[in-house]
Amino acid sequence: MAEAVEAVEQAVEQALKDADLSWERAEDGAYVVALPGTRKLSTTVSLKVGRHTLSLNAFVVRRPDENHEAFYRWLLERNTRLYGVAYAIDRLGDVYLVGRLPLAAVTPDEVDRLLGSVVENADGSFNTLLELGFASAIRKEYEWRTSRGESTRNLDAFAHLTRATGADRPGA
């Protein structure tokens, strides 16, 4: 069994090195990886090599402020199309991506596929999740920034929520 765990640790480390990711080994068999994104600037992933499985856990977004039913329904419907991971919530309602592979299935390529799935579903879905669960907060942030003459450039993806046009955005 120790040989299988060691082989999995080598496969994980090889995948992380090949992908040129920022990572550290937190403890025996535990890794913390920073995945860069475009919508969500970074997603932190925890990989843990256990006695029988490699588990993955990545924070996606905190509990939504509003529209809970539609927000969680979207996650459940999306789960049917995910590879290797699934959306899950903790006791507070915060959203994570979780996954688990048997040790025998772990290869550098499979770790890379799992990490790709995390990026696609944490970063790629981030704006949708913000729109579903935080539209009022986005509008308030926009109003606060415009009242102070501050840039709203990083809210451009949500212009349809704020009804902003380029000419309306101070500092844009």
Side-chain angles (χ1 to χ4, degrees):
M1 181 164 323
E3 292 171 5
V5 169
E6 186 175 318
V8 168
E9 289 174 353
Q10 289 174 358
V12 168
E13 291 179 18
Q14 187 63 53
L16 299 176
K17 288 175 187 170
D18 289 349
D20 197 28
L21 295 170
S22 175
W23 62 279
E24 61 183 64
R25 189 169 177 156
E27 58 186 53
D28 275 351
Y31 301 85
V32 177
V33 183
L35 298 177
T38 55
R39 293 168 188 88
K40 184 177 189 207
L41 297 180
S42 178
T43 300
T44 302
V45 180
S46 169
L47 297 166
K48 176 75 173 144
V49 180
R51 291 180 56 201
H52 304 287
T53 61
L54 171 68
S55 61
L56 173 148
N57 192 326
F59 177 78
V60 177
V61 67
R62 69 178 175 84
R63 178 184 186 273
D65 292 342
E66 60 195 9
N67 202 17
H68 297 97
E69 183 178 339
F71 181 92
Y72 292 125
R73 181 183 182 93
W74 187 93
L75 294 175
L76 288 172
E77 289 175 355
R78 182 79 176 193
N79 269 347
T80 64
R81 299 189 312 261
L82 302 185
Y83 176 81
V85 296
Y87 288 108
I89 59 172
D90 66 9
R91 63 182 174 75
L92 301 174
D94 294 343
V95 178
Y96 292 81
L97 283 165
V98 297
R100 185 171 295 132
L101 279 179
L103 294 184
V106 178
T107 64
D109 285 342
E110 192 59 22
V111 172
D112 185 61
R113 275 190 283 281
L114 282 177
L115 295 176
S117 188
V118 169
V119 169
E120 179 180 333
N121 295 291
D123 183 64
S125 300
F126 191 64
N127 286 356
T128 300
L129 292 171
L130 292 181
E131 289 176 26
L132 284 169
F134 304 93
S136 295
I138 291 167
R139 288 183 189 102
K140 286 179 188 173
E141 178 70 14
Y142 179 83
E143 289 170 13
W144 182 80
R145 288 184 188 189
T146 55
S147 73
R148 298 171 50 96
E150 295 188 15
S151 174
T152 59
R153 185 171 293 134
N154 71 340
L155 297 175
D156 283 352
F158 308 106
H160 59 285
L161 296 176
T162 61
R163 304 285 187 245
T165 63
D168 298 335
R169 290 190 318 253

